[in-house]
Amino acid sequence: MNRRLVEQLCRLLGVLALLVALVVHWRAVRAVDAGVPTRRVVRLVEDAGPDSAGRALAAVREALLAGAANAAGAAGAAEPRDGQASRRDTLALPLATVPDAAVRAGLGSVQTSGVPLLWLDGTMARGVAASVTRAAVPGAPLDVRVAASAGTSLTLADAGGVLDSVATPPLVTTWRLRNAAPPLRVRQGRHAISLPVPDSGAARRLLVLAEPGWEGKFVVAALEEAGWVVDGTLRVSPTGRVTIGAPARLDTARYAAVVVTDSMAVDGAALRQFVARGGGLLLGGDALRIPGLAALRPARATELRGAIAGGLLTSSPRSGLEAWELAMASDALVLETDQSDHGHDEPALVARRVGAGRVVAMPYRESWRWRMQGSDDGMAAHRAWWQGAVALAVPAVRRAMPMAPDRYPGDRAPYADLVARVGRPAPATREALGGDAGGDVGRGVGDIPFVLRPWVLLLTALLALLAEWGSRRLRGAR
């Protein structure tokens, strides 16, 4: 190649590098004059390791400390102009897992401090939340409910291994488990929620108030067979009582619920206080006609509905029991219905809330006939009916989970908590990470492409002009 042509190319390259450096500098000066802050995008965690969230927070701390030191040095050199925004680096965090509560709180603090923060979602968890409850009755199963977005498989496991998995979960997935080895883990993508397992059974007792007779006897038997420890008081005369177990003063710490089966005289004021403090009350049959419980009952008994002959031996055995027609209270809720011989549904279980407790009522009289005169499974069905009615009166057992001391969702929904604190994840695009379309006019040194950085351009111009000058001197030209 002709030496003169090489010299011309070197001269052209040097001049072009100088022109580009001037343009880059002019754009930065114009941005400062217009009051547009120069932002710098910092990619803190490039890999998708399981501990990326913790290392991300450590990198955030380092970036903030470095930014504070730079800001302090710059403040000593020159004061910012009026109306000019101070420089804030945009911190971009690729997260492979949903961080724990401490890291989420730290990222939220960074966001609220005014430092722009973006995070890239690599968790494959699009808002999973879970709960575990168990009815406060002996032998009750675990009710596991998981709300998650469709498209990502769900896995349920305990300490012993995987229990079940769903490839395409619905909006809400429900499992019923007889028991599980704590803790329960719900996994979606790379994200998992750990849930404590509520204790099995009810630690408190039941108190049964009844008149001596078949109904009180077999209700107590059914509840004891279901696993309850039952205390009872059977009133045999205005002043005489027969006790079962060791009846004590009504207290929610001792008794989970009170069961009243007959139209006997009861202490209405004591029952009202018990329910208001969080106890359960179950009223069966004639107990709906006790005047002292009028303020508590969810329905009023009006007239008696006769039993259907032979109904105890059919697939609808409760049709063979006498029952009261019910006039519902305004705030009562029908929990279960039975179809009557008139072709319409009759309330079978009715409930209302009183204070912190619940009152459940059933209209059936002499339910012992179902147990003693029903079909072969009458005993088990009678026991399950009373067990289920008591479970409705007693609040479900929930293990306390750490809750955020503020308005955030907390550990019950970690992904939602992260979004609430830091915002929605950003798409991994140039604009979302602070490119030109995102409002950045000037760029920090670390974000300008390598070939456009000032020192690279100046070094290129110097080398090109030096090469052109040296070539001309070697061939004897000026």
Side-chain angles (χ1 to χ4, degrees):
M1 181 181 294
N2 191 341
R3 177 177 288 188
R4 290 178 181 276
L5 179 59
V6 173
E7 292 172 358
Q8 292 175 0
L9 291 176
C10 288
R11 185 183 309 144
L12 179 62
L13 178 60
V15 173
L16 182 62
L18 289 175
L19 289 176
V20 172
L22 289 174
V23 170
V24 172
H25 177 70
W26 172 73
R27 291 187 61 186
V29 171
R30 191 181 66 168
V32 172
D33 291 338
V36 178
T38 300
R39 296 191 300 169
R40 179 164 60 92
V41 176
V42 181
R43 294 295 298 270
L44 296 173
V45 183
E46 293 296 340
D47 61 348
D51 59 341
S52 61
R55 287 185 288 109
L57 185 58
V60 168
R61 281 197 210 97
E62 294 176 4
L64 291 178
L65 291 176
N70 294 337
E79 293 294 331
R81 303 182 184 180
D82 294 339
Q84 177 180 342
S86 60
R87 172 172 176 154
R88 289 290 187 176
D89 292 346
T90 300
L91 308 178
L93 310 177
L95 298 181
T97 58
V98 177
D100 58 23
V103 175
R104 294 196 306 269
L107 295 178
S109 299
V110 172
Q111 185 78 300
T112 56
S113 67
V115 177
L117 179 64
L118 299 175
W119 66 285
L120 310 180
D121 190 359
T123 65
M124 300 176 64
R126 301 294 186 267
V128 59
S131 68
V132 181
T133 58
R134 190 200 299 261
V137 297
L142 291 168
D143 184 6
V144 184
R145 301 189 181 189
V146 180
S149 59
T152 306
S153 63
L154 280 178
T155 302
L156 178 68
D158 66 354
V162 176
L163 299 175
D164 193 17
S165 62
V166 182
T168 55
L171 182 61
V172 177
T173 305
T174 301
W175 287 278
R176 292 182 70 84
L177 309 176
R178 185 172 296 276
N179 214 330
L184 276 175
R185 292 184 179 88
V186 178
R187 179 174 294 277
Q188 183 189 36
R190 299 189 184 97
H191 174 49
I193 300 178
S194 182
L195 302 168
V197 177
D199 297 330
S200 61
R204 296 176 292 173
R205 301 178 174 221
L206 291 181
L207 178 63
V208 176
L209 304 178
E211 294 178 347
W214 294 106
E215 181 69 356
K217 173 182 177 180
F218 286 114
V219 167
V220 170
L223 294 175
E224 288 181 335
E225 290 169 3
W228 283 102
V229 177
V230 179
D231 293 340
T233 299
L234 306 182
R235 190 184 297 273
V236 297
S237 70
T239 58
R241 299 180 181 180
V242 175
T243 60
I244 301 171
R249 183 177 65 86
L250 272 180
D251 188 353
T252 54
R254 179 177 176 85
Y255 294 113
V258 176
V259 180
V260 185
T261 64
D262 302 290
S263 58
M264 57 182 297
V266 297
D267 188 346
L271 285 176
R272 281 194 296 273
Q273 293 179 3
F274 173 75
V275 174
R277 291 194 300 265
L281 177 61
L282 177 58
L283 305 177
D286 292 343
L288 293 174
R289 299 176 65 85
I290 299 177
L293 300 181
L296 291 176
R297 61 194 180 196
R300 178 173 54 87
T302 56
E303 59 184 37
L304 193 62
R305 184 174 71 243
I308 298 176
L312 291 170
L313 301 176
T314 66
S315 59
S316 302
R318 290 190 294 275
S319 64
L321 300 175
E322 289 185 342
W324 292 102
E325 296 286 349
L326 299 181
M328 304 283 295
S330 59
D331 59 345
L333 179 67
V334 177
L335 303 179
E336 189 170 341
T337 60
D338 286 335
Q339 188 171 6
S340 69
D341 57 342
H342 303 297
H344 63 274
D345 293 338
E346 296 286 354
L349 287 173
V350 184
R352 68 179 299 199
R353 182 169 294 280
V354 177
R358 303 174 184 172
V359 182
V360 177
M362 67 174 69
Y364 299 104
R365 303 177 70 244
E366 299 183 337
S367 67
W368 64 269
R369 296 183 182 275
W370 184 4
R371 180 185 180 98
M372 303 303 295
Q373 299 176 4
S375 58
D376 293 341
D377 61 349
M379 179 181 294
H382 175 264
R383 178 172 60 248
W385 170 257
W386 278 95
Q387 174 79 326
V390 170
L392 294 173
V394 180
V397 176
R398 292 181 181 267
R399 285 288 299 272
M401 293 185 64
M403 296 294 291
D406 43 36
R407 64 183 183 278
Y408 298 109
D411 284 336
R412 290 186 182 274
Y415 187 93
D417 186 70
L418 177 63
V419 173
R421 292 177 183 272
V422 188
R424 293 184 178 276
T429 62
R430 178 188 178 99
E431 290 77 11
L433 293 177
D436 292 334
D440 286 339
V441 177
R443 292 175 180 273
V445 174
D447 300 299
I448 296 178
F450 181 80
V451 296
L452 296 180
R453 294 180 183 178
W455 69 270
V456 175
L457 292 171
L458 292 177
L459 181 60
T460 301
L462 178 62
L463 292 177
L465 294 176
L466 183 62
E468 188 264 344
W469 176 80
S471 176
R472 284 192 298 105
R473 295 293 294 176
L474 287 176
R475 64 182 178 86
R478 287 188 177 183

